[in-house]
Amino acid sequence: MEKNIYQKLHEACLNAGIVKKADKKSGMHFNPLLHDDVQEVAVQALLNQGLYPTCSYQTSTQNDHVLVICTLTVTDVDAPSNNIIIDGCSAMGDLDKFGTGQAMSYSRKYAFLNLLNIKTGVIDD
């Protein structure tokens, strides 16, 4: 029996594992959760279940920042008309050459975390 998209997403959630937070850098008061680490765990868990994630972004300028809203769509590769949408993960970035990209990465990271309920921590247990 083939799994439906919700069953596949459930399996991806169960098998995603933990994302270890990075070490503190000088001047930081917290251990950062790196976008690339979250994306690696989340995308692999989804692909292992035959699910393919894509993101689209809506941007606007708010006072002295750029606001980016990420919409994450997960498509079942075995039944491409079936998808799940995670909408509304947002982030703000500075109005400089890095701001939009940083806000895109941040909002995508939290869309993946929300989608799969990924555990995060300092120690990889």
Side-chain angles (χ1 to χ4, degrees), residues 100-113:
T100 300
Q102 289 170 338
M104 288 171 73
S105 295
Y106 191 89
S107 61
R108 180 178 168 100
K109 172 176 67 174
Y110 281 95
F112 279 132
L113 290 169

Side-chain angles (χ1 to χ4, degrees), residues 7 10 25 32 34 39 44 47 55 61-62 66 78 85 93:
Q7 291 167 321
H10 179 252
K25 302 285 184 197
L34 301 179
Q39 181 170 298
Q44 191 60 60
L47 293 176
C55 287
T61 304
Q62 305 286 323
V66 61
D78 298 319
I85 297 173

